[in-house]
C-alpha cells in the first residue's frame, strides 16, 4: 500500500459540491462554511481566528469532509411532522442512520414516552 501524501483533490471537491446541492445550494453551503463556528462533528474551530475554511497558517481552502456533511445536515429542510405520524418508533429503528438523516433536520423538540409508539412534538 502506498503512503497517503495528502487528501483532497477532485474527489473531495466533487463530494463537497454534491453535499452542497443536497442541502440547498453551493452559495448557501459556502456562506455557512466561511463563518466562524465550531465543527459540528469534532467541535474544533473551523478556520481558527480568521473564520471558516482558513487554517491556522492562513491557508485557504481548508475544511474537512465530516464538517461539510454535518453542515449539509443542518442546512436541509425540516422533517415534516407527518413523518412522525407515518413512521412508528419500531419502523424508525429499522431505518439506517443515512435514511433518518436524509429525512430532514429536527425543527422542534420531540418526545416519546415508555408506552408511546410514535414521537410527538412538544413546545420549547
Amino acid at each position: 500500500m502506498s503512503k497517503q501524501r495528502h487528501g483532497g483533490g477532485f474527489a473531495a471537491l466533487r463530494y463537497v459540491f454534491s453535499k452542497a446541492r443536497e442541502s440547498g445550494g453551493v452559495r448557501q453551503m459556502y456562506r455557512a462554511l466561511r463563518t466562524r463556528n465550531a465543527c459540528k462533528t469534532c467541535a474544533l474551530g473551523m478556520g481558527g481566528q480568521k473564520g471558516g475554511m482558513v487554517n491556522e497558517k492562513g491557508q485557504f481552502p481548508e475544511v474537512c469532509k465530516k464538517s461539510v456533511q454535518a453542515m449539509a445536515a443542518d442546512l436541509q429542510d425540516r422533517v415534516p411532522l407527518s413523518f412522525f405520524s407515518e413512521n412508528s418508533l419500531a419502523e424508525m429503528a429499522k431505518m439506517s442512520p443515512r435514511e433518518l438523516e436524509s429525512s430532514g433536520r429536527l425543527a422542534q423538540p420531540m418526545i416519546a414516552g415508555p408506552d408511546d409508539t410514535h414521537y410527538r412534538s412538544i413546545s420549547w
Side-chain angles (χ1 to χ4, degrees):
M1 181 189 303
S2 64
K3 183 179 177 183
Q4 178 91 19
R5 294 178 189 215
H6 58 82
F10 289 113
L13 287 173
R14 275 192 302 275
Y15 177 82
V16 170
F17 282 110
S18 73
K19 282 296 178 187
R21 283 190 300 274
E22 287 175 19
S23 65
V26 173
R27 181 175 290 148
Q28 185 178 5
M29 175 67 80
Y30 179 78
R31 257 186 277 144
L33 289 171
R34 290 290 293 166
T35 60
R36 288 186 209 173
N37 61 22
C39 174
K40 292 168 181 25
T41 303
C42 67
L44 294 176
M46 289 175 37
Q49 300 300 314
K50 297 186 184 235
M53 295 175 54
V54 178
N55 68 14
E56 295 298 339
K57 291 181 180 180
Q59 298 167 321
F60 174 86
E62 292 286 333
V63 65
C64 75
K65 291 193 315 185
K66 285 306 232 177
S67 179
V68 169
Q69 183 181 10
M71 190 65 72
D74 282 354
L75 292 173
Q76 66 183 331
D77 289 333
R78 65 178 51 202
V79 178
L81 284 177
S82 61
F83 175 84
F84 297 105
S85 60
E86 294 167 1
N87 295 286
S88 69
L89 294 170
E91 291 168 332
M92 289 174 65
K94 294 176 187 174
M95 294 180 181
S96 71
R98 181 170 288 190
E99 288 174 307
L100 290 169
E101 183 176 294
S102 67
S103 299
R105 65 177 168 76
L106 291 176
Q108 67 278 331
M110 306 298 291
I111 191 169
D115 297 326
D116 290 338
T117 59
H118 291 75
Y119 279 111
R120 56 188 158 77
S121 65
I122 58 173
S123 67
W124 292 100

